[in-house]
Amino acid sequence: MPSIENWWNGNVDWTTSAGQLLEKFLVTLPKDRPFAFTLYGSAPLQLTVDRELMSADVDLFSENEEDLSALISIAKLDKERGGFYLEPGYELSFRTSPRWRQRAKLIQLGNVTLTVPHPLDILIGKLARLDVKDIRAFTRIHALTGHPTASELKEELQHAVDLFRPAFDADSPNLYPENTKTLWRELYKLEIDVRKEIIDPAIGLRNKGYGELPPDYKGALGG
């Protein structure tokens, strides 16, 4: 999908609030072993597209599932210190397209490998909640880049169709279907039928890949 990948070069602006906070953290890390972190949340958008897009924290997780709480506390950049802080998480917290690693930017900083996901994948992750600030992020990125277009986002959500499955926890319903409809109205000023335009086409492609036979339309018509 060249149109999706070519509008983002992944260059990081280290003078942003998120960039400066990360630099403070990285210099405190031990130098005797490698580290690999991935950013998610709003920080990648501020770092690579819109420096004016603010958030209360910078979300990150370790590629080896290490709990980063102790390292962040040692750096005195945890939530308890107040102000702009680092929020440790896990890869399971980042729900987005299964193709996100193909588009991510890898940055080597000494013994640290930093993965910065593509804005498209960051935005898809925001569909889980879609607060006012999340809609604002979609709007800002779209205004600055012209992407993602409705067709680009629809295609990518088809590849991420499992996001639309019913939630495991009945007390926390899956909001992706309804939030997708809301986003389409707010961002594109259009209506979308999530079942017909995202879920059904994705299931069709998946079944075709499994080698399942298509329906016998000719037989059904008596031909």
Side-chain angles (χ1 to χ4, degrees):
M1 295 180 300
S3 61
I4 288 180
E5 295 175 353
N6 288 351
W7 60 269
W8 182 73
N9 57 27
N11 292 338
V12 169
D13 183 352
W14 292 102
T15 68
T16 57
S17 300
Q20 293 178 48
L21 186 71
L22 285 167
E23 286 186 323
K24 288 179 182 178
F25 175 57
L26 297 183
V27 298
T28 68
L29 296 174
K31 301 296 186 284
D32 58 351
R33 69 179 179 96
F35 293 92
F37 306 129
T38 293
L39 302 178
Y40 64 110
S42 294
L45 301 181
Q46 185 191 110
L47 286 167
T48 65
V49 183
D50 182 12
R51 63 175 295 118
E52 302 302 322
L53 195 64
M54 296 300 177
S55 181
D57 57 24
V58 171
D59 299 292
L60 75 166
F61 61 81
S62 170
E63 288 291 337
N64 63 4
E65 297 297 332
E66 177 182 0
D67 185 349
L68 300 179
S69 300
L71 290 173
I72 291 173
S73 180
I74 290 171
K76 299 181 180 179
L77 297 173
D78 50 305
K79 186 175 183 178
E80 286 67 29
R81 309 277 175 169
F84 196 38
Y85 62 95
L86 292 175
E87 181 67 49
Y90 295 91
E91 185 169 352
L92 283 172
S93 307
F94 184 37
R95 298 188 64 208
T96 188
S97 167
R99 306 195 293 187
W100 72 270
R101 288 191 182 275
Q102 299 175 26
R103 292 184 285 260
K105 177 82 169 183
L106 267 62
I107 301 170
Q108 194 66 42
L109 301 164
N111 61 325
V112 178
T113 302
L114 190 66
T115 300
V116 184
H118 192 287
L120 175 66
D121 298 304
I122 294 297
L123 291 174
I124 289 174
K126 290 182 175 296
L127 277 172
R129 182 175 55 186
L130 204 68
D131 287 342
V132 172
K133 67 175 184 177
D134 300 317
I135 293 177
R136 187 181 304 121
F138 268 99
T139 302
R140 282 289 297 168
I141 301 307
H142 189 263
L144 290 170
T145 69
H147 298 275
T149 64
S151 60
E152 287 170 348
L153 186 54
K154 186 189 300 184
E155 180 180 342
E156 199 56 42
L157 289 176
Q158 290 171 1
H159 285 277
V161 68
D162 288 330
L163 293 175
F164 295 89
R165 288 183 178 276
F168 293 129
D169 185 356
D171 295 327
S172 300
N174 185 340
L175 299 179
Y176 273 90
E178 198 57 42
N179 287 350
T180 299
K181 294 177 184 178
T182 299
L183 177 69
W184 244 254
R185 296 188 193 108
E186 294 289 334
L187 183 61
Y188 303 120
K189 311 305 179 189
L190 297 169
E191 295 293 330
I192 185 170
D193 187 323
V194 172
R195 165 60 66 176
K196 290 183 178 179
E197 298 183 58
I198 295 176
I199 298 174
D200 286 349
I203 292 174
L205 284 174
R206 178 174 287 175
N207 289 343
K208 186 176 181 180
Y210 288 155
E212 296 184 10
L213 293 175
D216 182 6
Y217 296 112
K218 186 176 180 181
L221 293 172

